[in-house]
C-alpha cells in the first residue's frame, strides 16, 4: 500500500494542491481539471495547525501556494485573482471564471 504524502513533502514541480484526495491511498488527482483558489489557499487553517502542533510544514505549504499565485497571476500588482486557476497557478480560460469577492473568492 502506498504511503500518503505529507503536506510538506517536496513536489517534483511547483503547482497548486489538488482538492481530490483518496484518503485510503493518499493519491491526489485533478478530477475537475482546475483548482479552486478558495480550496488551495486556506492560510488561517494551516497556520493555526502549525501553531498548535509546532510543525512548520503546514504553514510552509501555504506559503508555497501564495508564492505560485503571486508569481503566475501577478497578484501583488493586480490585487485580485480569478476563482478558478490551473494547477500551475494561471487563470483558467473559461467563460464561467471570474473575480469574486466572497463566494469562492474567499474574500
Amino acid at each position: 500500500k502506498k504511503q500518503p504524502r505529507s503536506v510538506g513533502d517536496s513536489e517534483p514541480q511547483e503547482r497548486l494542491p489538488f482538492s481530490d484526495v483518496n484518503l485510503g491511498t493518499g493519491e491526489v488527482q485533478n478530477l475537475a481539471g482546475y483548482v479552486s483558489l478558495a480550496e488551495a489557499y486556506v492560510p488561517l487553517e494551516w497556520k493555526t495547525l502549525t501553531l498548535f502542533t509546532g510543525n512548520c510544514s503546514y504553514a510552509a505549504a501555504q506559503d508555497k501556494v501564495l508564492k505560485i499565485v503571486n508569481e503566475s497571476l501577478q497578484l501583488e500588482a493586480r490585487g485580485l485573482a480569478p476563482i478558478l486557476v490551473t494547477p500551475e497557478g494561471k487563470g483558467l480560460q473559461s467563460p464561467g471564471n471570474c473575480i469574486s469577492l466572497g463566494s469562492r473568492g474567499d474574500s
Side-chain angles (χ1 to χ4, degrees), residues 12-66:
Q13 58 190 10
E14 295 267 322
R15 67 163 177 76
L16 298 175
F18 299 148
S19 59
D20 305 304
V21 179
N22 181 322
L23 297 178
T25 65
E27 293 182 39
V28 295
Q29 295 180 4
N30 187 5
L31 298 176
Y34 61 83
V35 176
S36 170
L37 192 55
E39 293 175 353
Y41 186 62
V42 285
L44 183 61
E45 292 88 343
W46 289 105
K47 291 188 180 207
T48 301
L49 189 57
T50 292
L51 178 67
F52 288 127
T53 64
N55 183 343
C56 294
S57 68
Y58 300 116
Q62 286 299 283
D63 292 341
K64 275 185 180 178
V65 168
L66 185 58

Short mmCIF file of all heavy atoms in Angstrom, two decimals, residues 12-66:
data_model
loop_
_atom_site.label_atom_id
_atom_site.label_comp_id
_atom_site.label_asym_id
_atom_site.label_seq_id
_atom_site.Cartn_x
_atom_site.Cartn_y
_atom_site.Cartn_z
N PRO A 12 7.58 17.43 -7.24
CA PRO A 12 8.52 17.41 -8.35
C PRO A 12 8.50 18.70 -9.15
O PRO A 12 9.45 19.06 -9.79
CB PRO A 12 8.04 16.23 -9.21
CG PRO A 12 6.64 15.96 -8.77
CD PRO A 12 6.52 16.48 -7.37
N GLN A 13 7.39 19.45 -9.11
CA GLN A 13 7.29 20.72 -9.79
C GLN A 13 6.42 21.66 -8.96
O GLN A 13 5.66 21.21 -8.13
CB GLN A 13 6.69 20.54 -11.18
CG GLN A 13 5.31 19.90 -11.13
CD GLN A 13 4.81 19.51 -12.50
OE1 GLN A 13 5.55 19.55 -13.45
NE2 GLN A 13 3.56 19.16 -12.59
N GLU A 14 6.54 22.94 -9.23
CA GLU A 14 5.73 23.91 -8.50
C GLU A 14 4.32 23.90 -9.08
O GLU A 14 4.12 24.22 -10.24
CB GLU A 14 6.35 25.30 -8.62
CG GLU A 14 7.70 25.42 -7.96
CD GLU A 14 7.61 25.91 -6.54
OE1 GLU A 14 6.77 26.78 -6.27
OE2 GLU A 14 8.37 25.42 -5.71
N ARG A 15 3.35 23.51 -8.27
CA ARG A 15 1.95 23.53 -8.68
C ARG A 15 1.08 23.68 -7.46
O ARG A 15 1.52 23.44 -6.34
CB ARG A 15 1.58 22.28 -9.47
CG ARG A 15 1.60 21.01 -8.63
CD ARG A 15 0.84 19.89 -9.32
NE ARG A 15 0.92 18.66 -8.58
CZ ARG A 15 0.24 18.39 -7.46
NH1 ARG A 15 -0.56 19.27 -6.95
NH2 ARG A 15 0.37 17.24 -6.85
N LEU A 16 -0.16 24.06 -7.69
CA LEU A 16 -1.10 24.20 -6.59
C LEU A 16 -1.63 22.84 -6.20
O LEU A 16 -1.71 21.93 -7.02
CB LEU A 16 -2.25 25.12 -7.02
CG LEU A 16 -1.83 26.54 -7.37
CD1 LEU A 16 -3.02 27.32 -7.90
CD2 LEU A 16 -1.24 27.23 -6.16
N PRO A 17 -2.04 22.68 -4.94
CA PRO A 17 -2.56 21.38 -4.50
C PRO A 17 -3.93 21.09 -5.09
O PRO A 17 -4.74 21.99 -5.29
CB PRO A 17 -2.65 21.54 -2.97
CG PRO A 17 -2.74 23.00 -2.75
CD PRO A 17 -2.00 23.67 -3.86
N PHE A 18 -4.18 19.83 -5.39
CA PHE A 18 -5.48 19.41 -5.89
C PHE A 18 -6.41 19.17 -4.69
O PHE A 18 -5.97 18.82 -3.60
CB PHE A 18 -5.38 18.11 -6.68
CG PHE A 18 -4.50 18.21 -7.91
CD1 PHE A 18 -3.79 17.12 -8.34
CD2 PHE A 18 -4.40 19.38 -8.63
CE1 PHE A 18 -2.99 17.19 -9.47
CE2 PHE A 18 -3.61 19.47 -9.76
CZ PHE A 18 -2.89 18.35 -10.18
N SER A 19 -7.70 19.31 -4.91
CA SER A 19 -8.64 19.11 -3.82
C SER A 19 -9.15 17.67 -3.77
O SER A 19 -9.80 17.28 -2.80
CB SER A 19 -9.83 20.07 -3.95
OG SER A 19 -10.48 19.86 -5.18
N ASP A 20 -8.88 16.87 -4.78
CA ASP A 20 -9.36 15.49 -4.83
C ASP A 20 -8.29 14.56 -4.28
O ASP A 20 -7.28 14.30 -4.94
CB ASP A 20 -9.71 15.10 -6.26
CG ASP A 20 -10.71 16.06 -6.88
OD1 ASP A 20 -11.79 16.23 -6.28
OD2 ASP A 20 -10.41 16.65 -7.93
N VAL A 21 -8.49 14.07 -3.05
CA VAL A 21 -7.53 13.20 -2.40
C VAL A 21 -8.22 11.91 -1.99
O VAL A 21 -9.26 11.94 -1.33
CB VAL A 21 -6.92 13.88 -1.14
CG1 VAL A 21 -5.93 12.96 -0.45
CG2 VAL A 21 -6.29 15.21 -1.49
N ASN A 22 -7.64 10.79 -2.38
CA ASN A 22 -8.15 9.49 -1.93
C ASN A 22 -7.58 9.27 -0.54
O ASN A 22 -6.37 9.04 -0.37
CB ASN A 22 -7.70 8.39 -2.89
CG ASN A 22 -8.21 7.03 -2.50
OD1 ASN A 22 -8.27 6.68 -1.32
ND2 ASN A 22 -8.57 6.25 -3.49
N LEU A 23 -8.43 9.34 0.47
CA LEU A 23 -7.95 9.24 1.85
C LEU A 23 -7.43 7.84 2.18
O LEU A 23 -6.63 7.68 3.10
CB LEU A 23 -9.06 9.63 2.83
CG LEU A 23 -9.52 11.08 2.72
CD1 LEU A 23 -10.67 11.36 3.68
CD2 LEU A 23 -8.38 12.04 2.95
N GLY A 24 -7.85 6.83 1.43
CA GLY A 24 -7.38 5.47 1.66
C GLY A 24 -5.96 5.25 1.17
O GLY A 24 -5.16 4.57 1.80
N THR A 25 -5.62 5.87 0.01
CA THR A 25 -4.30 5.66 -0.58
C THR A 25 -3.39 6.86 -0.50
O THR A 25 -2.18 6.74 -0.67
CB THR A 25 -4.44 5.29 -2.08
OG1 THR A 25 -4.99 6.42 -2.78
CG2 THR A 25 -5.32 4.06 -2.27
N GLY A 26 -3.97 8.04 -0.27
CA GLY A 26 -3.17 9.26 -0.25
C GLY A 26 -2.89 9.82 -1.63
O GLY A 26 -2.23 10.83 -1.76
N GLU A 27 -3.42 9.19 -2.67
CA GLU A 27 -3.20 9.67 -4.03
C GLU A 27 -4.05 10.91 -4.30
O GLU A 27 -5.18 11.01 -3.84
CB GLU A 27 -3.53 8.58 -5.04
CG GLU A 27 -2.57 7.41 -4.97
CD GLU A 27 -2.87 6.36 -6.01
OE1 GLU A 27 -3.23 6.73 -7.15
OE2 GLU A 27 -2.77 5.18 -5.68
N VAL A 28 -3.48 11.84 -5.05
CA VAL A 28 -4.20 13.06 -5.41
C VAL A 28 -4.48 13.06 -6.90
O VAL A 28 -3.71 12.51 -7.68
CB VAL A 28 -3.42 14.33 -5.01
CG1 VAL A 28 -3.29 14.44 -3.52
CG2 VAL A 28 -2.05 14.36 -5.66
N GLN A 29 -5.61 13.65 -7.27
CA GLN A 29 -5.99 13.76 -8.67
C GLN A 29 -6.61 15.13 -8.90
O GLN A 29 -7.13 15.74 -7.97
CB GLN A 29 -7.02 12.69 -9.05
CG GLN A 29 -6.51 11.29 -8.96
CD GLN A 29 -7.60 10.30 -9.35
OE1 GLN A 29 -8.69 10.67 -9.73
NE2 GLN A 29 -7.29 9.03 -9.23
N ASN A 30 -6.59 15.56 -10.14
CA ASN A 30 -7.25 16.80 -10.52
C ASN A 30 -8.46 16.43 -11.36
O ASN A 30 -8.47 16.57 -12.57
CB ASN A 30 -6.29 17.69 -11.30
CG ASN A 30 -6.87 19.05 -11.57
OD1 ASN A 30 -7.95 19.38 -11.11
ND2 ASN A 30 -6.14 19.85 -12.33
N LEU A 31 -9.51 15.94 -10.71
CA LEU A 31 -10.69 15.43 -11.41
C LEU A 31 -11.45 16.53 -12.13
O LEU A 31 -12.04 16.29 -13.18
CB LEU A 31 -11.61 14.69 -10.44
CG LEU A 31 -11.00 13.46 -9.77
CD1 LEU A 31 -11.97 12.87 -8.75
CD2 LEU A 31 -10.62 12.41 -10.80
N ALA A 32 -11.47 17.73 -11.60
CA ALA A 32 -12.23 18.81 -12.21
C ALA A 32 -11.48 19.47 -13.36
O ALA A 32 -12.07 20.13 -14.19
CB ALA A 32 -12.59 19.85 -11.15
N GLY A 33 -10.17 19.32 -13.40
CA GLY A 33 -9.38 19.97 -14.44
C GLY A 33 -8.94 21.38 -14.06
O GLY A 33 -8.33 22.08 -14.84
N TYR A 34 -9.29 21.82 -12.87
CA TYR A 34 -8.87 23.13 -12.39
C TYR A 34 -8.69 23.06 -10.87
O TYR A 34 -9.04 22.08 -10.24
CB TYR A 34 -9.90 24.21 -12.74
CG TYR A 34 -11.26 23.98 -12.14
CD1 TYR A 34 -11.55 24.35 -10.83
CD2 TYR A 34 -12.27 23.38 -12.88
CE1 TYR A 34 -12.79 24.12 -10.27
CE2 TYR A 34 -13.52 23.15 -12.33
CZ TYR A 34 -13.78 23.52 -11.03
OH TYR A 34 -15.00 23.29 -10.47
N VAL A 35 -8.17 24.13 -10.32
CA VAL A 35 -8.01 24.25 -8.87
C VAL A 35 -8.82 25.46 -8.44
O VAL A 35 -8.73 26.53 -9.05
CB VAL A 35 -6.52 24.45 -8.50
CG1 VAL A 35 -6.35 24.68 -7.02
CG2 VAL A 35 -5.70 23.25 -8.96
N SER A 36 -9.62 25.30 -7.42
CA SER A 36 -10.37 26.42 -6.85
C SER A 36 -9.45 27.16 -5.88
O SER A 36 -8.92 26.57 -4.94
CB SER A 36 -11.61 25.91 -6.11
OG SER A 36 -12.20 26.95 -5.37
N LEU A 37 -9.27 28.45 -6.12
CA LEU A 37 -8.37 29.23 -5.28
C LEU A 37 -8.81 29.19 -3.82
O LEU A 37 -8.00 29.14 -2.91
CB LEU A 37 -8.31 30.67 -5.79
CG LEU A 37 -7.21 31.56 -5.22
CD1 LEU A 37 -5.84 30.93 -5.42
CD2 LEU A 37 -7.27 32.93 -5.85
N ALA A 38 -10.12 29.14 -3.59
CA ALA A 38 -10.64 29.10 -2.22
C ALA A 38 -10.27 27.81 -1.51
O ALA A 38 -10.18 27.78 -0.29
CB ALA A 38 -12.16 29.27 -2.22
N GLU A 39 -10.06 26.72 -2.25
CA GLU A 39 -9.67 25.46 -1.63
C GLU A 39 -8.16 25.31 -1.54
O GLU A 39 -7.65 24.63 -0.65
CB GLU A 39 -10.24 24.29 -2.44
CG GLU A 39 -11.75 24.21 -2.37
CD GLU A 39 -12.32 23.12 -3.26
OE1 GLU A 39 -11.56 22.51 -4.03
OE2 GLU A 39 -13.53 22.89 -3.18
N ALA A 40 -7.43 25.92 -2.45
CA ALA A 40 -5.98 25.78 -2.48
C ALA A 40 -5.29 26.67 -1.45
O ALA A 40 -4.25 26.30 -0.90
CB ALA A 40 -5.43 26.11 -3.86
N TYR A 41 -5.87 27.83 -1.18
CA TYR A 41 -5.22 28.77 -0.27
C TYR A 41 -6.10 29.01 0.95
O TYR A 41 -7.05 29.78 0.92
CB TYR A 41 -4.92 30.09 -1.00
CG TYR A 41 -4.12 31.04 -0.15
CD1 TYR A 41 -2.84 30.68 0.27
CD2 TYR A 41 -4.61 32.26 0.25
CE1 TYR A 41 -2.09 31.53 1.07
CE2 TYR A 41 -3.87 33.12 1.04
CZ TYR A 41 -2.61 32.76 1.45
OH TYR A 41 -1.86 33.59 2.23
N VAL A 42 -5.79 28.31 2.01
CA VAL A 42 -6.53 28.44 3.28
C VAL A 42 -5.52 28.67 4.41
O VAL A 42 -5.32 27.84 5.28
CB VAL A 42 -7.42 27.20 3.54
CG1 VAL A 42 -8.63 27.21 2.66
CG2 VAL A 42 -6.64 25.91 3.35
N PRO A 43 -4.86 29.83 4.41
CA PRO A 43 -3.76 30.05 5.35
C PRO A 43 -4.16 30.04 6.81
O PRO A 43 -3.40 29.56 7.65
CB PRO A 43 -3.23 31.43 4.95
CG PRO A 43 -4.40 32.11 4.32
CD PRO A 43 -5.16 31.02 3.61
N LEU A 44 -5.33 30.56 7.13
CA LEU A 44 -5.72 30.62 8.54
C LEU A 44 -5.75 29.23 9.16
O LEU A 44 -5.19 29.00 10.24
CB LEU A 44 -7.09 31.30 8.68
CG LEU A 44 -7.59 31.49 10.10
CD1 LEU A 44 -6.64 32.37 10.89
CD2 LEU A 44 -8.98 32.09 10.08
N GLU A 45 -6.35 28.28 8.46
CA GLU A 45 -6.46 26.92 8.99
C GLU A 45 -5.09 26.26 9.14
O GLU A 45 -4.77 25.66 10.16
CB GLU A 45 -7.35 26.07 8.08
CG GLU A 45 -8.80 26.50 8.09
CD GLU A 45 -9.14 27.59 7.07
OE1 GLU A 45 -8.22 28.27 6.56
OE2 GLU A 45 -10.33 27.76 6.77
N TRP A 46 -4.26 26.35 8.09
CA TRP A 46 -2.96 25.67 8.11
C TRP A 46 -1.97 26.33 9.04
O TRP A 46 -1.18 25.68 9.69
CB TRP A 46 -2.40 25.56 6.70
CG TRP A 46 -3.18 24.57 5.88
CD1 TRP A 46 -4.07 24.87 4.89
CD2 TRP A 46 -3.18 23.15 6.00
NE1 TRP A 46 -4.61 23.71 4.41
CE2 TRP A 46 -4.09 22.63 5.05
CE3 TRP A 46 -2.50 22.25 6.82
CZ2 TRP A 46 -4.32 21.28 4.90
CZ3 TRP A 46 -2.74 20.90 6.66
CH2 TRP A 46 -3.64 20.43 5.70
N LYS A 47 -2.01 27.65 9.12
CA LYS A 47 -1.08 28.33 10.02
C LYS A 47 -1.49 28.13 11.48
O LYS A 47 -0.64 28.06 12.36
CB LYS A 47 -0.95 29.80 9.64
CG LYS A 47 -0.22 29.90 8.29
CD LYS A 47 0.14 31.29 7.89
CE LYS A 47 0.85 31.21 6.54
NZ LYS A 47 1.76 32.27 6.31
N THR A 48 -2.78 27.99 11.74
CA THR A 48 -3.23 27.65 13.09
C THR A 48 -2.79 26.23 13.46
O THR A 48 -2.36 25.98 14.58
CB THR A 48 -4.77 27.78 13.20
OG1 THR A 48 -5.13 29.12 12.89
CG2 THR A 48 -5.26 27.42 14.58
N LEU A 49 -2.87 25.32 12.50
CA LEU A 49 -2.39 23.95 12.73
C LEU A 49 -0.90 23.96 13.05
O LEU A 49 -0.44 23.25 13.94
CB LEU A 49 -2.68 23.09 11.50
CG LEU A 49 -2.46 21.60 11.63
CD1 LEU A 49 -3.27 21.00 12.77
CD2 LEU A 49 -2.81 20.90 10.31
N THR A 50 -0.14 24.80 12.37
CA THR A 50 1.29 24.95 12.67
C THR A 50 1.48 25.44 14.09
O THR A 50 2.32 24.92 14.83
CB THR A 50 1.95 25.93 11.68
OG1 THR A 50 1.97 25.32 10.39
CG2 THR A 50 3.36 26.29 12.09
N LEU A 51 0.70 26.43 14.48
CA LEU A 51 0.80 26.99 15.82
C LEU A 51 0.55 25.93 16.90
O LEU A 51 1.31 25.81 17.86
CB LEU A 51 -0.19 28.14 15.99
CG LEU A 51 -0.24 28.82 17.35
CD1 LEU A 51 1.06 29.57 17.63
CD2 LEU A 51 -1.43 29.75 17.43
N PHE A 52 -0.50 25.13 16.71
CA PHE A 52 -0.87 24.14 17.73
C PHE A 52 0.01 22.90 17.73
O PHE A 52 0.17 22.25 18.76
CB PHE A 52 -2.33 23.75 17.60
CG PHE A 52 -3.28 24.84 18.04
CD1 PHE A 52 -4.28 25.28 17.21
CD2 PHE A 52 -3.15 25.44 19.28
CE1 PHE A 52 -5.15 26.28 17.61
CE2 PHE A 52 -4.00 26.45 19.69
CZ PHE A 52 -5.00 26.87 18.84
N THR A 53 0.58 22.54 16.57
CA THR A 53 1.39 21.32 16.50
C THR A 53 2.89 21.60 16.60
O THR A 53 3.66 20.70 16.89
CB THR A 53 1.14 20.55 15.20
OG1 THR A 53 1.58 21.35 14.09
CG2 THR A 53 -0.31 20.17 15.05
N GLY A 54 3.28 22.83 16.29
CA GLY A 54 4.71 23.14 16.24
C GLY A 54 5.37 22.64 14.96
O GLY A 54 6.58 22.71 14.80
N ASN A 55 4.57 22.13 14.01
CA ASN A 55 5.08 21.60 12.75
C ASN A 55 4.96 22.68 11.68
O ASN A 55 3.87 22.96 11.18
CB ASN A 55 4.28 20.36 12.35
CG ASN A 55 4.80 19.71 11.09
OD1 ASN A 55 5.54 20.30 10.32
ND2 ASN A 55 4.40 18.47 10.87
N CYS A 56 6.08 23.28 11.32
CA CYS A 56 6.09 24.40 10.37
C CYS A 56 5.76 24.01 8.94
O CYS A 56 5.52 24.88 8.10
CB CYS A 56 7.45 25.09 10.41
SG CYS A 56 7.77 25.89 11.99
N SER A 57 5.74 22.72 8.62
CA SER A 57 5.48 22.31 7.24
C SER A 57 4.09 22.70 6.78
O SER A 57 3.86 22.93 5.60
CB SER A 57 5.69 20.80 7.07
OG SER A 57 4.70 20.08 7.76
N TYR A 58 3.14 22.82 7.71
CA TYR A 58 1.78 23.21 7.33
C TYR A 58 1.76 24.66 6.82
O TYR A 58 1.17 24.96 5.79
CB TYR A 58 0.81 23.05 8.49
CG TYR A 58 0.73 21.63 8.99
CD1 TYR A 58 1.14 21.29 10.27
CD2 TYR A 58 0.24 20.61 8.17
CE1 TYR A 58 1.07 19.99 10.73
CE2 TYR A 58 0.16 19.30 8.62
CZ TYR A 58 0.58 19.00 9.90
OH TYR A 58 0.51 17.72 10.34
N ALA A 59 2.39 25.55 7.54
CA ALA A 59 2.45 26.95 7.12
C ALA A 59 3.30 27.10 5.86
O ALA A 59 2.97 27.89 4.97
CB ALA A 59 3.01 27.82 8.24
N ALA A 60 4.38 26.34 5.78
CA ALA A 60 5.25 26.41 4.61
C ALA A 60 4.51 26.02 3.33
O ALA A 60 4.73 26.61 2.27
CB ALA A 60 6.47 25.52 4.81
N ALA A 61 3.60 25.05 3.43
CA ALA A 61 2.82 24.62 2.26
C ALA A 61 1.94 25.77 1.77
O ALA A 61 1.81 26.00 0.56
CB ALA A 61 1.97 23.41 2.61
N GLN A 62 1.36 26.54 2.67
CA GLN A 62 0.52 27.68 2.27
C GLN A 62 1.37 28.82 1.71
O GLN A 62 0.94 29.51 0.80
CB GLN A 62 -0.32 28.16 3.45
CG GLN A 62 -1.46 27.24 3.76
CD GLN A 62 -2.43 27.11 2.59
OE1 GLN A 62 -3.23 28.00 2.34
NE2 GLN A 62 -2.36 26.01 1.89
N ASP A 63 2.58 28.98 2.23
CA ASP A 63 3.47 29.99 1.68
C ASP A 63 3.84 29.65 0.24
O ASP A 63 3.94 30.55 -0.60
CB ASP A 63 4.73 30.11 2.54
CG ASP A 63 4.45 30.71 3.91
OD1 ASP A 63 3.39 31.34 4.09
OD2 ASP A 63 5.29 30.52 4.81
N LYS A 64 4.00 28.35 -0.07
CA LYS A 64 4.28 27.92 -1.44
C LYS A 64 3.12 28.27 -2.36
O LYS A 64 3.31 28.74 -3.48
CB LYS A 64 4.50 26.41 -1.50
CG LYS A 64 5.87 25.93 -1.21
CD LYS A 64 5.88 24.43 -1.46
CE LYS A 64 7.20 23.80 -1.21
NZ LYS A 64 7.14 22.35 -1.41
N VAL A 65 1.89 28.01 -1.88
CA VAL A 65 0.70 28.32 -2.68
C VAL A 65 0.66 29.81 -2.99
O VAL A 65 0.46 30.22 -4.14
CB VAL A 65 -0.59 27.88 -1.96
CG1 VAL A 65 -1.82 28.45 -2.64
CG2 VAL A 65 -0.67 26.37 -1.89
N LEU A 66 0.86 30.65 -1.98
CA LEU A 66 0.83 32.09 -2.19
C LEU A 66 1.92 32.54 -3.16
O LEU A 66 1.68 33.40 -4.01
CB LEU A 66 0.95 32.83 -0.86
CG LEU A 66 0.81 34.34 -0.93
CD1 LEU A 66 -0.52 34.76 -1.54
CD2 LEU A 66 0.97 34.95 0.45
#
